[in-house]
Amino acid sequence: MNKVKIGIIGAGRIGKIHAEHLLAMTQAEVTAISDLFADDHLRQWAAGRGIGTVLSDADALFQNPDIDAVLICSSTDSHIDFIERAAKAGKHIFCEKPVSMDVFQTQKALDVVNSAGVQLQIGFNRRFDHNFKRVREVVQGGGIGQPHMIKITSRDPNPPHADYIKVSGGIFQDMMIHDFDMARYVAGSDIEEVYAHGGVLIDPVFAEHGDLDTAIATLRFENGAIGVIDCSRQAVYGYDQRVEVFGSKGSVAVTNDYPNTAEISTAEGIFRDKPLHFFLERYDGAYIDELKQFIDCVQHGKPVPVSGYDGFQAELTALACKYSVKLGKPVKLKEVQTWPNL
Amino acid sequence: MNKVKIGIIGAGRIGKIHAEHLLAMTQAEVTAISDLFADDHLRQWAAGRGIGTVLSDADALFQNPDIDAVLICSSTDSHIDFIERAAKAGKHIFCEKPVSMDVFQTQKALDVVNSAGVQLQIGFNRRFDHNFKRVREVVQGGGIGQPHMIKITSRDPNPPHADYIKVSGGIFQDMMIHDFDMARYVAGSDIEEVYAHGGVLIDPVFAEHGDLDTAIATLRFENGAIGVIDCSRQAVYGYDQRVEVFGSKGSVAVTNDYPNTAEISTAEGIFRDKPLHFFLERYDGAYIDELKQFIDCVQHGKPVPVSGYDGFQAELTALACKYSVKLGKPVKLKEVQTWPNL
Amino acid sequence: MNKVKIGIIGAGRIGKIHAEHLLAMTQAEVTAISDLFADDHLRQWAAGRGIGTVLSDADALFQNPDIDAVLICSSTDSHIDFIERAAKAGKHIFCEKPVSMDVFQTQKALDVVNSAGVQLQIGFNRRFDHNFKRVREVVQGGGIGQPHMIKITSRDPNPPHADYIKVSGGIFQDMMIHDFDMARYVAGSDIEEVYAHGGVLIDPVFAEHGDLDTAIATLRFENGAIGVIDCSRQAVYGYDQRVEVFGSKGSVAVTNDYPNTAEISTAEGIFRDKPLHFFLERYDGAYIDELKQFIDCVQHGKPVPVSGYDGFQAELTALACKYSVKLGKPVKLKEVQTWPNL
Amino acid sequence: MNKVKIGIIGAGRIGKIHAEHLLAMTQAEVTAISDLFADDHLRQWAAGRGIGTVLSDADALFQNPDIDAVLICSSTDSHIDFIERAAKAGKHIFCEKPVSMDVFQTQKALDVVNSAGVQLQIGFNRRFDHNFKRVREVVQGGGIGQPHMIKITSRDPNPPHADYIKVSGGIFQDMMIHDFDMARYVAGSDIEEVYAHGGVLIDPVFAEHGDLDTAIATLRFENGAIGVIDCSRQAVYGYDQRVEVFGSKGSVAVTNDYPNTAEISTAEGIFRDKPLHFFLERYDGAYIDELKQFIDCVQHGKPVPVSGYDGFQAELTALACKYSVKLGKPVKLKEVQTWPNL
């Protein structure tokens, strides 16, 4: 295949960021962009970047035989429909996480994708972060022996707006879902059982929507390792994303990235700047690399690095956590597969 | 009161360490030491340090009107008896942790102590560590606002001998008991509920004795905070003792102490030495400070910094964790108070 | 002014890197590129990036009225000629460091630039590094009070090829020249006097060309501060570029950037990866930012952030260091201005 | 030899600290202490520590056949006299640095010591610091290959009182003398040549006494390495004592010790506490270890770890630095040996 021709569905913040990154890649071409609210503003933005086609309906993307692959960057509730239509049209798919709010719907969409024989990559960008990649590499290389414990800290600098909280799906599905995938990625194993609990310690608005703003999930992996994820909607000192894997021959731990290495010493103490503010700063390189690999896999028919199965497992873990909080006890992923969506 | 006159019960490793530390304190005097196996070796050791009296029976200590306080450093199963006898003899008591293997026996001993009106300090030495004291200070000073999460890592460099594992009481009662006390210390709150799980990942000998070698306990505190303790019997890189408290206005975290600050850079990478090897190295200063404060409290009638209640709470938390593992679900400390010892 | 139209002179490594960076900037346009050895390879490279004009003679650049500014990325011995021709043609100039091997020739070229009234920015890219910018910012903001000492470490991972050593101008003019500029930048003051010494400790080839491979220069600044730069052609652990400014109210220090934050703990010790390998990795962002600011200054008629005077001062300091080594004593910059080039 | 019996000359701060340390050592005994101003206060202090003899004249110490060794902790101007008298009396000697203010007087005293065949250890306590010992160990073990550069930072938290400045001997002889010894210790080589310069940037009182408060000395070692020491009388953030050795196969660097490892993260940034305040805190363990080794060497007839030659070399380097500042040029240690004292 020559350059991979891409259609982008959804021209919100993340859709535009992906577009900019694709424009700088020699092996990709942004053929078209579609958005329900395609307006002059978007048309102007696209024109300035040499993106010829702007659509308000994704259908033309699917029917365009020149387009090899689509990026689904629209709202979560539209993912399933777009995935199924794209798969049926024979387009390879990159879809933002989560695939859907209902893991059983996700499963059905994955079946469609499998039948169609197209590729589907899920946007778990953190797997491409320089720090977490190094953790995975050390663990896979046997550097710490057999993994015994996985510890993940995941804290946002600010809670989302109240409007978003209402529709987010809750802390497990919206926020910790990244960490569930990270846990599987660094442990090299699926999750077997979870126990989750938490509280509303930051803002009562979370309680109003039946959500938590602070949570801890403990994990049991199929390979015998155990783990824990702690999550907060508000770390006033900034985005806090750390991972540690402890094993029979040692441990590997990564901490945050910082805007600089300056250490300022005064009569009051020693000071350095807060970590990079939020995900756009912290995962800038990871966003580029996930797309580069997607393009490469589509172009050369290689399996994508983050599969639909990975997306499904993360969603299933989130559901198990929701059940765990509801029931006040540990929940196995196997059993939750037979329970209704929450 | 002039110098505090001390009788030490139990001349094992920790008894001797305490003796050496007391000998260097101007406000204390080691009047006598007793040990079931008092022999010439011990007599020689004592003589070399100016400790005049060596006994094979603690009774004479209790009957000696010159002795103000006793240090109970004998095996755990003898603690209760010695505490009760010391209390009835009107001696102030410093007792190594845990008070006993049966939290209800501990409660009874505390009642005797209270009736006798003597002081009882429990040997939770880590409260006196320069790092953890700083954490407590920052939290108490409001430096991180309202505490939301307490995270403790507690890993030993090597597992104990198989002989010890048999009688240790298990990972929660023997090892994590320090961390339960630390959690209460830095959170400034009692623990309400625990959920614990773990595995035997290091050595099958633990399974033979119904014990775990790797465990995670999640905590819910009475003040609304949540927490997690991870524990391993073997960290090949050395003693790993870290604490982090995260709150509404920030976080405070302490890591390990190191034998030096050297950073060695070569073509292979950047290297530094492992942390201080084990508790004797890491908590050297803490052992001294806990005794200094005990002496000071006895001398001036001030309340001791680690009370019998603190010992009781830690033991109760350990029991709740044992039940949690047994039942596979979270357990409240209130309910476990009505259950039999495990 | 609309987009700034740029002609690039010299299509070596740095010329091409600048070109790539400019291509991604919305306010710049690469109109043409010239190189003495313009061949099909270069033409193809240019075509792939939409650069229409490839020349083997820079003259056409100067005569093209559409071109607003030139980037001089050719070999050092051609800088003076190109600067003077560009200035006379009314083009703004970005020139790689050093302007020339003869500070008096540099002075003459600056005079031509001044008469022509065009802008001239020198390629001291390190001023745009996130770490060093933070140092400058803290010092300028009064965060450390009055500067007393400036300390710079500057070590390359590998020595250059023998061919290059012959024509490099020596360690002061080729390598430490960046540090002389950095010293002035963070001190906020010109240099008054230097004392330099060093040795050939890495490879005798340096001695064959009358050069040093290891050197220390101490500085006296006009504002009373003192400073020291240490420089090595070979740090086997990688590119080592650190700055510290110490003052009446504290200090600010920056260390290297790393490919990740991973800390690997094993029975052997604690490891992390070496710093970013060399200048292309370390100063990637700085190369982009220096051009962005140049474009911005040209477009809006603002003074450039690194002037010809800055280039001249760095070269003069290098000459003073060469004299200092030759004479074995400290040398004032004022006196060296009256001495012949070395 | 049984326990080493010690007489202490000079009961000022350092004399008392040494006494306390000796009292805790099983192999040493403090037989007597002498001080020009022996008063009731000192007698009481000594009685409380079981030191039987308090003298106002050191003569009785020298004549006491029971005393094996003396610690000279009196004012610098009395060192020479005491050393010579002690040597002639056949006592081993531990003497605080510097031996004297006149390196030639020092040389003469060393000759007396050598003729008498007694041991003389100089109080360069920093050699016994855990950090610097690790640097030396790495360098000696070949861990960084051939040393190329030695860098030492030495900054006090506060300047001394004006009274002391007058008689201190100046920044090189009083303060940097420790660093000259450290440089030789970690480089494993004598110093050949120095160039020093500095300024009065902290307090004009230094200028009034012909002294500097801020200085940089660059060094050339006999083994070809070069080095630099930077020194300040006032670092507002605390005692700053760092060493780095850079060589053909890497580098080893040590930084300061801290009262704890706490990192406090808030909306303002990340903070930690200042380094240990001053030499008594930082070098506490080193003071103990230097005495332990002295006792061990006296007891077993082993050569002391810091010889009179080491003291002489440090003093000679200080003199060379003073000449370098005076003459404004580099000075060889060999030539300064033929020049008068400054």
Side-chain angles (χ1 to χ4, degrees):
Chain A
M1 193 186 290
N2 288 330
K3 279 196 179 200
V4 177
K5 293 194 190 68
I6 305 278
I8 296 174
I9 301 171
R13 183 169 58 174
I14 192 67
K16 280 179 174 162
I17 287 171
H18 284 322
E20 302 271 10
H21 290 154
L22 288 169
L23 290 167
M25 290 178 200
T26 51
Q27 299 307 306
E29 190 181 297
V30 181
T31 305
I33 190 161
S34 84
D35 195 282
L36 224 57
F37 307 101
D39 56 9
D40 282 356
H41 195 74
L42 178 60
R43 253 170 268 278
Q44 207 168 359
W45 177 89
R49 279 147 189 88
I51 304 173
T53 309
V54 176
L55 307 160
S56 59
D57 183 334
D59 216 51
L61 285 183
F62 300 130
Q63 287 168 16
N64 184 341
D66 277 354
I67 287 181
D68 302 306
V70 296
L71 260 59
I72 302 178
C73 309
S74 51
S75 64
T76 301
D77 58 2
S78 67
H79 287 179
I80 291 283
D81 177 48
F82 284 133
I83 286 176
E84 292 183 357
R85 285 160 70 192
K88 284 172 185 161
K91 310 301 186 197
H92 298 294
I93 305 161
F94 177 99
C95 182
E96 279 303 321
K97 64 93 221 171
V99 173
S100 81
M101 292 302 193
D102 181 340
V103 66
F104 306 105
Q105 294 294 322
T106 296
Q107 184 55 67
K108 278 172 53 189
L110 297 188
D111 291 344
V112 175
V113 167
N114 286 338
S115 306
V118 295
Q119 301 246 38
L120 168 63
Q121 180 171 331
I122 308 301
F124 284 128
N125 58 302
R126 293 185 197 170
R127 288 192 179 211
F128 302 86
D129 174 68
H130 56 144
N131 292 322
F132 302 135
K133 261 179 13 194
R134 188 74 176 105
V135 172
R136 160 90 170 185
E137 192 179 290
V138 170
V139 175
Q140 295 286 102
I144 60 149
Q146 187 65 25
H148 289 179
M149 284 201 270
I150 283 83
K151 290 177 65 181
I152 298 177
T153 292
S154 183
R155 301 173 190 158
D156 282 355
N158 309 115
H161 282 186
D163 286 355
Y164 181 79
I165 294 168
K166 207 180 337 186
V167 300
S168 75
I171 196 167
F172 300 108
Q173 215 160 355
D174 179 55
M175 190 174 165
M176 224 188 251
I177 197 162
H178 273 294
D179 307 301
F180 297 139
D181 184 62
M182 182 54 58
R184 292 178 60 248
Y185 176 65
V186 296
S189 169
D190 277 352
I191 294 165
E192 188 178 293
E193 190 185 72
V194 301
Y195 169 70
H197 69 141
V200 176
L201 304 173
I202 297 162
D203 192 331
V205 70
F206 287 96
E208 287 165 26
H209 298 101
D211 200 357
L212 305 168
D213 56 29
T214 306
I216 285 178
T218 67
L219 315 170
R220 184 179 288 283
F221 294 86
E222 291 188 354
N223 67 359
I226 55 179
V228 62
I229 299 167
D230 74 83
C231 208
S232 170
R233 285 288 194 182
Q234 183 177 52
V236 297
Y237 53 83
Y239 202 38
D240 192 355
Q241 304 266 304
R242 289 171 281 154
V243 168
E244 176 182 342
V245 183
F246 170 79
S248 58
K249 292 186 179 165
S251 77
V252 53
V254 289
T255 184
N256 297 306
D257 287 336
Y258 291 85
N260 59 66
T261 63
E263 203 172 73
I264 303 164
S265 302
T266 73
E268 274 71 45
I270 301 181
F271 172 92
R272 70 191 161 109
D273 289 336
K274 294 187 289 180
L276 291 180
H277 179 59
F278 210 173
F279 63 96
L280 292 181
E281 292 84 8
R282 167 76 181 263
Y283 295 123
D284 185 39
Y287 280 117
I288 293 172
D289 284 350
E290 68 173 353
L291 282 188
K292 269 196 188 149
Q293 289 209 25
F294 175 67
I295 297 299
D296 185 52
C297 291
V298 166
Q299 199 172 23
H300 301 103
K302 295 190 284 190
V304 290
V306 197
S307 69
Y309 179 76
D310 293 322
F312 174 77
Q313 285 296 318
E315 291 178 31
L316 193 61
T317 310
L319 180 61
C321 283
K322 286 171 87 168
Y323 264 113
S324 178
V325 169
K326 193 185 169 77
L327 303 173
K329 60 171 194 138
V331 168
K332 286 198 186 335
L333 268 65
K334 223 170 237 169
E335 55 187 354
V336 91
Q337 272 188 285
T338 67
W339 295 351
N341 197 51
L342 262 187
Chain B
M1 194 185 288
N2 288 329
K3 279 196 179 198
V4 177
K5 294 195 191 64
I6 305 277
I8 296 175
I9 301 171
R13 183 169 59 174
I14 192 68
K16 281 178 173 163
I17 288 171
H18 284 323
E20 301 271 11
H21 289 154
L22 288 170
L23 290 166
M25 290 177 199
T26 51
Q27 299 308 305
E29 189 182 296
V30 182
T31 304
I33 188 161
S34 84
D35 195 283
L36 224 56
F37 308 102
D39 57 9
D40 283 356
H41 195 75
L42 177 60
R43 255 170 268 276
Q44 211 169 356
W45 177 89
R49 278 149 190 87
I51 304 174
T53 309
V54 176
L55 307 159
S56 60
D57 183 332
D59 217 51
L61 286 183
F62 301 129
Q63 287 168 16
N64 184 343
D66 277 355
I67 288 181
D68 303 306
V70 296
L71 261 60
I72 302 178
C73 309
S74 51
S75 64
T76 301
D77 57 3
S78 67
H79 286 179
I80 292 282
D81 178 48
F82 284 133
I83 287 175
E84 293 182 358
R85 285 161 70 193
K88 284 171 185 160
K91 310 300 186 198
H92 299 294
I93 306 161
F94 177 100
C95 183
E96 278 305 318
K97 66 93 223 173
V99 173
S100 82
M101 291 304 193
D102 181 338
V103 66
F104 305 106
Q105 294 295 322
T106 297
Q107 183 56 66
K108 277 171 55 190
L110 298 187
D111 291 344
V112 175
V113 167
N114 287 337
S115 305
V118 296
Q119 301 247 37
L120 168 62
Q121 180 171 331
I122 309 300
F124 284 128
N125 58 301
R126 294 186 197 169
R127 288 193 178 209
F128 303 87
D129 174 69
H130 55 144
N131 293 322
F132 302 135
K133 261 180 11 195
R134 188 73 176 105
V135 172
R136 160 91 170 183
E137 193 179 289
V138 170
V139 175
Q140 295 286 102
I144 61 150
Q146 187 65 24
H148 289 180
M149 285 201 270
I150 283 83
K151 292 177 65 182
I152 298 177
T153 292
S154 181
R155 300 171 189 158
D156 282 356
N158 309 116
H161 283 186
D163 286 355
Y164 181 79
I165 294 168
K166 207 179 337 183
V167 300
S168 77
I171 196 167
F172 300 109
Q173 214 159 356
D174 180 55
M175 190 173 165
M176 222 187 253
I177 197 163
H178 273 295
D179 307 302
F180 298 140
D181 185 62
M182 183 54 59
R184 291 178 61 249
Y185 176 65
V186 297
S189 168
D190 277 351
I191 295 165
E192 185 178 297
E193 189 186 72
V194 301
Y195 170 71
H197 69 140
V200 176
L201 304 173
I202 296 162
D203 193 330
V205 70
F206 287 96
E208 287 165 26
H209 298 101
D211 200 358
L212 305 168
D213 55 27
T214 306
I216 286 178
T218 66
L219 314 170
R220 183 180 288 282
F221 294 85
E222 290 188 354
N223 67 358
I226 55 179
V228 62
I229 299 167
D230 74 84
C231 206
S232 170
R233 285 288 194 181
Q234 183 177 52
V236 298
Y237 54 84
Y239 202 39
D240 193 355
Q241 303 265 304
R242 290 171 279 155
V243 167
E244 175 182 342
V245 183
F246 170 79
S248 57
K249 292 188 179 165
S251 77
V252 54
V254 289
T255 183
N256 297 305
D257 286 336
Y258 291 85
N260 60 66
T261 62
E263 202 173 73
I264 303 165
S265 302
T266 73
E268 276 71 46
I270 300 181
F271 172 92
R272 70 192 161 110
D273 290 335
K274 294 188 289 181
L276 290 181
H277 178 59
F278 210 173
F279 62 96
L280 291 181
E281 292 84 8
R282 168 76 181 262
Y283 295 123
D284 186 38
Y287 280 117
I288 294 172
D289 285 350
E290 67 173 353
L291 282 188
K292 268 196 189 148
Q293 289 210 23
F294 175 67
I295 297 299
D296 184 53
C297 291
V298 166
Q299 199 171 24
H300 300 103
K302 294 191 283 189
V304 292
V306 196
S307 69
Y309 179 78
D310 293 321
F312 174 77
Q313 286 296 319
E315 290 179 32
L316 193 61
T317 311
L319 180 61
C321 283
K322 285 171 89 168
Y323 265 113
S324 178
V325 169
K326 193 184 170 80
L327 302 174
K329 61 172 193 138
V331 167
K332 286 197 185 335
L333 267 66
K334 224 171 237 168
E335 56 187 352
V336 92
Q337 271 187 285
T338 67
W339 297 352
N341 197 51
L342 261 187
Chain C
M1 194 185 290
N2 288 329
K3 280 195 177 201
V4 177
K5 295 197 189 65
I6 304 278
I8 297 174
I9 301 171
R13 183 169 57 174
I14 192 66
K16 280 179 173 161
I17 286 171
H18 284 322
E20 301 272 10
H21 289 155
L22 288 170
L23 290 166
M25 290 178 200
T26 50
Q27 299 307 307
E29 189 182 297
V30 182
T31 304
I33 188 160
S34 84
D35 194 282
L36 224 57
F37 306 103
D39 56 9
D40 281 356
H41 196 73
L42 177 60
R43 254 170 268 277
Q44 209 168 357
W45 178 89
R49 278 148 189 87
I51 304 175
T53 309
V54 176
L55 307 159
S56 59
D57 183 335
D59 218 51
L61 285 183
F62 300 130
Q63 287 169 16
N64 184 341
D66 277 354
I67 287 181
D68 302 306
V70 295
L71 260 60
I72 302 178
C73 310
S74 51
S75 64
T76 302
D77 58 2
S78 66
H79 286 179
I80 291 283
D81 178 47
F82 284 134
I83 286 174
E84 293 183 357
R85 285 160 70 194
K88 285 171 183 160
K91 310 299 185 200
H92 299 294
I93 305 161
F94 177 99
C95 182
E96 279 305 318
K97 65 92 223 171
V99 173
S100 83
M101 292 302 194
D102 181 339
V103 66
F104 306 106
Q105 294 295 322
T106 296
Q107 183 56 67
K108 278 172 51 189
L110 297 188
D111 291 345
V112 175
V113 167
N114 287 338
S115 305
V118 295
Q119 302 247 37
L120 168 62
Q121 180 172 330
I122 308 301
F124 284 128
N125 57 303
R126 293 185 197 171
R127 288 193 178 208
F128 302 86
D129 174 69
H130 55 144
N131 292 322
F132 302 136
K133 260 178 15 195
R134 188 73 175 106
V135 172
R136 160 89 170 185
E137 194 179 289
V138 170
V139 175
Q140 296 286 103
I144 60 149
Q146 187 65 23
H148 289 179
M149 285 202 270
I150 283 84
K151 291 177 65 182
I152 297 177
T153 291
S154 182
R155 301 171 188 159
D156 282 355
N158 309 116
H161 284 186
D163 287 356
Y164 181 78
I165 294 167
K166 208 179 338 184
V167 301
S168 75
I171 197 166
F172 300 109
Q173 214 159 358
D174 180 54
M175 189 174 165
M176 224 188 252
I177 197 163
H178 273 294
D179 307 302
F180 297 139
D181 184 62
M182 181 55 57
R184 292 178 60 248
Y185 175 65
V186 296
S189 169
D190 277 353
I191 295 164
E192 186 178 295
E193 189 185 73
V194 301
Y195 170 70
H197 69 140
V200 176
L201 304 174
I202 297 162
D203 192 332
V205 69
F206 287 96
E208 286 165 27
H209 298 100
D211 199 357
L212 305 168
D213 55 30
T214 306
I216 286 177
T218 65
L219 314 170
R220 184 181 287 283
F221 294 85
E222 292 187 352
N223 67 359
I226 55 179
V228 62
I229 299 167
D230 75 84
C231 206
S232 170
R233 285 289 195 181
Q234 183 177 53
V236 298
Y237 54 84
Y239 201 39
D240 192 357
Q241 303 266 304
R242 290 172 280 155
V243 167
E244 176 182 343
V245 183
F246 170 79
S248 57
K249 293 187 180 165
S251 78
V252 53
V254 288
T255 183
N256 296 306
D257 286 336
Y258 292 85
N260 59 66
T261 63
E263 202 172 73
I264 302 166
S265 302
T266 74
E268 275 72 46
I270 301 181
F271 298 86
R272 67 192 165 111
D273 290 335
K274 295 187 288 181
L276 291 180
H277 179 59
F278 210 173
F279 62 95
L280 292 181
E281 292 84 7
R282 167 77 181 261
Y283 295 123
D284 185 38
Y287 279 118
I288 293 172
D289 284 351
E290 68 173 353
L291 282 188
K292 268 197 189 148
Q293 288 208 25
F294 175 67
I295 297 301
D296 184 53
C297 291
V298 166
Q299 198 171 23
H300 301 103
K302 295 189 284 191
V304 291
V306 196
S307 68
Y309 178 76
D310 293 321
F312 174 77
Q313 285 297 317
E315 291 178 32
L316 192 62
T317 310
L319 180 61
C321 282
K322 286 171 88 168
Y323 265 113
S324 178
V325 169
K326 193 184 169 81
L327 303 174
K329 61 171 194 140
V331 168
K332 287 199 187 332
L333 267 66
K334 223 170 238 169
E335 57 187 352
V336 92
Q337 272 188 284
T338 67
W339 296 351
N341 197 51
L342 262 187
Chain D
M1 191 186 291
N2 290 328
K3 279 194 176 200
V4 177
K5 295 196 190 65
I6 305 279
I8 296 175
I9 301 171
R13 183 169 58 175
I14 192 68
K16 281 179 174 162
I17 287 172
H18 284 324
E20 301 271 11
H21 290 154
L22 288 170
L23 289 167
M25 290 178 199
T26 51
Q27 299 307 305
E29 189 182 296
V30 181
T31 305
I33 188 160
S34 84
D35 195 283
L36 225 56
F37 307 102
D39 56 11
D40 283 354
H41 195 72
L42 178 60
R43 253 171 268 276
Q44 208 169 357
W45 177 89
R49 279 149 189 86
I51 305 174
T53 310
V54 176
L55 307 159
S56 59
D57 183 333
D59 217 50
L61 286 182
F62 300 130
Q63 287 168 16
N64 184 342
D66 278 353
I67 287 181
D68 303 305
V70 296
L71 262 60
I72 302 177
C73 309
S74 50
S75 64
T76 301
D77 57 4
S78 66
H79 286 180
I80 292 283
D81 177 49
F82 284 133
I83 287 175
E84 293 183 357
R85 286 158 71 192
K88 284 171 186 163
K91 309 300 185 198
H92 300 293
I93 305 160
F94 177 99
C95 183
E96 280 303 319
K97 66 94 220 171
V99 173
S100 82
M101 292 302 195
D102 181 339
V103 67
F104 306 106
Q105 293 295 323
T106 296
Q107 183 57 65
K108 278 172 53 190
L110 297 187
D111 291 344
V112 175
V113 167
N114 287 338
S115 306
V118 296
Q119 300 247 39
L120 168 62
Q121 180 172 330
I122 308 300
F124 283 129
N125 59 302
R126 294 186 197 170
R127 287 194 179 209
F128 301 86
D129 174 69
H130 56 144
N131 292 322
F132 302 135
K133 260 179 14 194
R134 187 73 176 106
V135 172
R136 161 88 170 188
E137 193 181 288
V138 170
V139 174
Q140 296 286 102
I144 61 149
Q146 187 65 25
H148 290 179
M149 284 201 270
I150 283 83
K151 292 177 64 181
I152 298 177
T153 292
S154 183
R155 301 172 189 158
D156 282 355
N158 308 115
H161 284 186
D163 285 355
Y164 181 79
I165 294 167
K166 207 179 337 185
V167 299
S168 76
I171 196 165
F172 300 109
Q173 215 160 354
D174 179 54
M175 189 174 165
M176 224 189 250
I177 197 163
H178 273 294
D179 307 301
F180 298 140
D181 184 62
M182 182 55 57
R184 291 178 61 248
Y185 175 65
V186 297
S189 169
D190 277 352
I191 295 164
E192 188 178 294
E193 189 185 73
V194 301
Y195 170 69
H197 70 140
V200 177
L201 304 174
I202 297 162
D203 191 332
V205 69
F206 288 96
E208 286 165 26
H209 298 100
D211 199 357
L212 305 169
D213 55 28
T214 306
I216 286 178
T218 66
L219 315 170
R220 183 179 288 282
F221 293 86
E222 291 188 353
N223 67 359
I226 56 179
V228 63
I229 299 167
D230 75 84
C231 208
S232 170
R233 285 287 193 182
Q234 183 177 51
V236 296
Y237 53 84
Y239 202 39
D240 192 357
Q241 302 267 305
R242 289 172 281 154
V243 167
E244 176 182 342
V245 183
F246 170 80
S248 58
K249 293 187 180 164
S251 76
V252 53
V254 289
T255 183
N256 297 306
D257 287 335
Y258 292 84
N260 59 67
T261 62
E263 204 173 72
I264 302 164
S265 302
T266 73
E268 275 72 45
I270 301 181
F271 297 86
R272 68 192 164 109
D273 289 335
K274 294 187 289 181
L276 291 181
H277 178 60
F278 209 173
F279 62 96
L280 291 181
E281 292 85 7
R282 167 76 180 262
Y283 295 123
D284 185 40
Y287 280 117
I288 293 173
D289 285 350
E290 69 172 352
L291 282 189
K292 268 195 189 150
Q293 289 210 25
F294 175 67
I295 297 299
D296 185 53
C297 291
V298 166
Q299 198 172 24
H300 300 104
K302 296 190 283 190
V304 292
V306 197
S307 68
Y309 178 77
D310 293 322
F312 174 77
Q313 284 296 318
E315 291 178 32
L316 193 61
T317 311
L319 180 62
C321 283
K322 286 171 87 168
Y323 265 113
S324 178
V325 169
K326 194 183 168 79
L327 302 174
K329 62 171 193 139
V331 168
K332 286 197 187 334
L333 267 64
K334 223 170 237 167
E335 56 187 353
V336 91
Q337 273 188 283
T338 67
W339 295 353
N341 196 52
L342 262 186

